[in-house]
Amino acid sequence: MSRVIGIDLGTTNSCVAIIENGQPSVIPNAGGYKTTPSMFAVTQDGKRLVGHLAKRQAITNSKHTIYAAKRLIGRRFDDGEVQRCIELSPYSIVRGQNDDPRIEVGGKVFTVTEISAVILKEMKRVAEEYLGEPVREAVVTVPAYFNDAQRQCTKDAGRIAGLEVLRIVNEPTAAAMSYGFGKNLDEKIAVYDLGGGTFDISILELGDGVLEVLATAGDTFLGGEDFDRRVVNHLIESFQETEGIDLRDDAMALQRLKDAAEKAKCDLSQRETAEINLPFIASDSNGPRHLSIELTRNSLEGLVHDVVQGTLKTVEQCVKDAGLEPSAIDQVILVGGQTRMPLVQQAVADYFGKRPHKGVNPDEVVAVGAAIQGDVLVNKDESMLLLDVTPLSLGIATFGGHFAKLIERNTTVPVRKSHIFTTTRDNQSAVKIRVLQGESEQAIENDLLGEFVLTGIRQAPKGEPEVEVAFDIDANGIVSVAARDLETSKEQSITVNATGTLDEGEIQQIIEENELYEVAVK
Amino acid sequence: MSELDAEEIRRLMAEGLDHYALGQADAAVACWRRVLEITPDHEEARDYLRAAEVDVEPLASETPRADEVGTLELTTPADAPPPAAPVEATRPDLAPSEGGDPRIDDADGRDPILAEAVALVRRGGLQEAIDLFETVGADDPDALELHAYCELARSRLVRVYRDRVGSVDRVPRLRISHDEILKFNLPAQAGFLLSLVDGATPTRSLLDLAGMDPFEGLRALSSLLDAGILEVAA
């Protein structure tokens, strides 16, 4: 029987897990690490680096090291989020032919899907090395707020990586599954997810085997990296005070500072003090200069206190959006490596008035949940599945710029619903249907998934012809639309391609290019 | 050697350098090989061919070269080697080179800086020759011969460093304690390279991570090995 792996494709770090002998097992990479940085780089001489190697030169080779591609996947170039990435990223983000953002490094332009595929391929390789056999199927997780285009692109990335993605699962759902929250519970769960690059808070309601997302909120530009940055700035300022040298413009020094800051931050989750020693960090006419600073847990907490408090404001709003009080939350789950920090754990516990669950490592919990889902799918025990829901309403644009919902958010998937539409002008022989996803009553404020034109409608006074449009969301949360002229019984076959996704030809081309590259490397 | 031969050799040597400067290594090698056909013991042509990574048959009279490796400025309390005398950027009053090669002494046939650099290389001072080029020749992009010879010296030095470092699949690791390392006088570049050594990453990956010019990376690594700060696991 083929093995199914569960992959947490994270913004900053990814993780892969599998069920072995009925128990979830997180798979370490060759270096012994259970998470792998979601980074891809091209060196000056054209070598490709992935994971830990890419991270270790991310600052010295910043223009050609890609990180946080997840912030861009499935989006359009003009999206506000993409524009913010362009401002903040040292690598070049350009407009692609599908109006999607693409990344140019090492003299080549990559689609975001391709970059995600590189990371997934690395996780596939890690699993295959560990298991000693090929792996072809996976369950991959995505944030609960990901729309159709983002989910489709993630699936495409899996395909390019040589994986059949059996299911796309929401991250908070996977986290809940890893704690064994199953069919027989009726609870409200808060999932506080503070990862390397993003913060997400989800309030879920579990009942009758359905996990409903009541509300989600977060900040896609807030995570552990911000904590590291605060420590780095502190080290730079201390060094400048004692040695009179500013390390800010020294890429090699910054790389060392970043690595040391992150290590010290992690150490301080276990200890009260951490020594940071960076010999020969700089030199001047008087010779070499060494950085040697002791950082205490108190100092670190002082540096990041406002960041942690900021997350609680977002939590507060999310709980309110869910129509609840903090005391109504039955369970709190921590996700993301940054939640190991005692300050974060205490802040969350104080807010909800209860200690969060700590049985599963927070940076592994999503991958474990994905592996559990995968195992259930392979064993075809659908009764054990927690059903997901679509996080966003689905509908079409109607006359006057309005949005007509056909499928409400939080509807259990898979689901199929249809509606009858008609013409708005006399003798109208074609209708343009714009498929949208979102919550606004104004069509223009929602995300466009795709649009198509249905032709061949009988010429008649407006309001007479009947066109049945059916919307279908599969278990992965991916949307397809079909239309039928009820009078003629003619069926129009239409495919909704989410804007920004790759077409089949592009996917095949990328697969072939990557295979060629693999052969060349061998 | 006839006057005609001497003139032909001068022409071939210069033409070879021009080819090399333009990236036409095969054409450069062909010129220098032609020189050896005329005069098999032509030291400079042999130097150029070795630097271009071409095997040259050893002469019976060839003596071992002095240490060609430029070292980092290392000072330890016990045994600091005396620093090499710095090479001056301009030396108009050149002394005759070892071996009395008439081409070096020919004031009409050779730029004095290039002549000094050639002499340095032949004495084993590859790094000093490179330093001289970079100090004097960096501002003159038209001095093709100078730049070409600098590249030749670098190529040769890279080979020396590669031999010193060994297989790039081997893993360097620290040989001494953190406190002992602090007694050395290392530049920040070497400090950065040292920070990448974790006892698990092979040399090949370290050089990728360092992001330095391969010559600089190998030089720094070689110096750290020479100083006993690093060792390479088998």
Side-chain angles (χ1 to χ4, degrees), chain A residues 33 82 180 215 220 269 288 309 332 364 375 392 395 403 419 440:
Chain A
Y33 298 99
V82 173
T220 49
S269 291
Q309 289 303 307
V332 181
E364 300 166 12
D375 191 60
L392 300 162
F403 175 57
H419 194 82
S440 173

Side-chain angles (χ1 to χ4, degrees), chain B residues 41-183:
Chain B
D41 59 352
H42 194 283
E43 285 289 341
E44 202 174 337
R46 297 172 71 78
D47 286 346
Y48 286 9
L49 284 166
R50 282 196 199 96
E53 301 196 342
V54 173
D55 287 333
V56 179
E57 285 296 318
L59 293 173
S61 61
E62 207 153 31
T63 53
R65 294 190 170 271
D67 182 5
E68 298 172 318
V69 178
T71 57
L72 294 170
E73 193 187 324
L74 302 169
T75 55
T76 67
D79 55 350
V87 175
E88 291 182 31
T90 56
R91 293 266 301 275
D93 52 340
L94 295 172
S97 62
E98 288 176 320
D101 189 321
R103 287 160 295 121
I104 300 283
D105 296 336
D106 182 354
D108 290 334
R110 182 61 57 91
D111 174 83
I113 303 299
L114 179 60
E116 170 65 9
V118 168
L120 274 170
V121 168
R122 289 171 59 202
R123 283 200 297 272
L126 282 175
Q127 188 56 56
E128 286 92 334
I130 292 168
D131 290 340
L132 175 63
F133 289 131
E134 288 173 352
T135 306
V136 177
D139 293 332
D140 186 0
D142 293 329
L144 280 181
E145 205 175 352
L146 204 62
H147 285 275
Y149 200 76
C150 180
E151 281 310 305
L152 284 170
R154 282 169 69 103
S155 302
R156 193 145 155 216
L157 210 42
V158 163
R159 267 213 309 189
V160 171
Y161 291 146
R162 273 201 197 126
D163 288 343
R164 189 69 55 85
V165 167
S167 163
V168 291
D169 293 321
R170 293 162 78 188
V171 176
R173 52 181 179 223
L174 282 179
R175 202 168 157 266
I176 56 179
S177 69
H178 170 80
D179 287 341
E180 285 174 304
I181 293 175
L182 292 178
K183 293 175 189 165

Side-chain angles (χ1 to χ4, degrees), chain A residues 43-45 47 49 53 56-57 60 252 255-256 277 279-283 287-288 290, chain B residues 178 181-182 184-186 188-189 191-192 195-196 198 201 204-205 208-212:
Chain A
T43 64
Q44 280 179 16
D45 51 2
K47 271 194 209 147
L49 305 177
L53 281 180
R56 288 172 72 187
Q57 49 87 79
T60 53
M252 285 185 184
Q255 182 72 63
R256 294 177 71 185
N277 286 308
F280 310 101
I281 190 80
S283 61
H290 312 306
Chain B
H178 170 80
I181 293 175
L182 292 178
F184 287 86
N185 181 10
L186 300 178
Q189 244 186 9
F192 177 65
S195 74
L196 297 173
D198 59 4
T201 306
R204 181 194 306 280
S205 297
D208 285 338
L209 294 175
M212 298 174 187

Side-chain angles (χ1 to χ4, degrees), chain A residues 377-394:
Chain A
L377 286 169
V378 160
N379 291 323
K380 301 202 189 320
D381 188 1
E382 300 252 352
S383 64
M384 291 300 294
L385 272 180
L386 279 182
L387 294 177
D388 244 331
V389 297
T390 177
L392 300 162
S393 294
L394 181 74

Side-chain angles (χ1 to χ4, degrees), chain A residues 134-325:
Chain A
V135 169
R136 294 189 186 89
E137 294 172 324
V139 167
V140 180
T141 60
V142 296
Y145 58 76
F146 256 25
N147 66 20
D148 182 76
Q150 291 166 308
R151 289 167 196 266
Q152 183 64 58
C153 287
T154 302
K155 266 196 103 171
D156 289 343
R159 210 174 128 208
I160 292 169
L163 289 167
E164 185 192 346
V165 179
L166 298 181
R167 189 64 57 91
I168 294 279
V169 171
N170 288 333
E171 286 159 10
T173 303
M177 279 204 85
S178 75
Y179 275 102
F181 295 125
K183 302 271 292 180
N184 300 321
L185 291 177
D186 203 342
E187 293 187 313
K188 293 183 180 49
I189 303 165
V191 181
Y192 179 102
D193 183 346
L194 185 58
T198 58
F199 169 60
D200 296 302
I201 174 72
S202 308
I203 308 298
L204 316 175
E205 180 159 29
L206 175 60
D208 296 329
V210 176
L211 197 61
E212 186 179 337
V213 178
L214 298 180
T216 76
D219 186 345
T220 49
F221 287 90
L222 175 65
E225 306 263 310
D226 296 282
F227 290 59
D228 297 343
R229 212 167 288 129
R230 295 283 177 101
V231 177
V232 169
N233 285 339
H234 170 72
L235 296 177
I236 288 174
E237 282 162 16
S238 301
F239 192 75
Q240 185 153 22
E241 220 172 277
T242 53
E243 303 290 339
I245 296 175
D246 184 357
L247 297 173
R248 246 170 269 271
D249 293 329
D250 183 337
M252 285 185 184
L254 283 175
Q255 182 72 63
R256 294 177 71 185
L257 285 166
K258 166 76 170 70
D259 293 341
E262 187 181 349
K263 183 172 179 309
K265 177 192 73 172
C266 295
D267 288 347
L268 287 171
S269 291
Q270 310 294 328
R271 305 202 303 262
E272 294 291 328
T273 61
E275 289 284 333
I276 301 170
N277 286 308
L278 299 175
F280 310 101
I281 190 80
S283 61
D284 61 12
S285 52
N286 296 323
R289 293 277 175 264
H290 312 306
L291 183 148
S292 181
I293 294 176
E294 184 189 75
L295 190 66
T296 65
R297 186 185 285 180
N298 276 344
S299 309
L300 172 63
E301 289 177 352
L303 291 172
V304 302
H305 184 260
D306 61 313
V307 179
V308 176
Q309 289 303 307
T311 66
L312 293 182
K313 287 200 173 59
T314 307
V315 172
E316 192 173 29
Q317 186 60 48
C318 188
V319 171
K320 216 165 135 181
D321 288 346
L324 297 170
E325 294 292 325

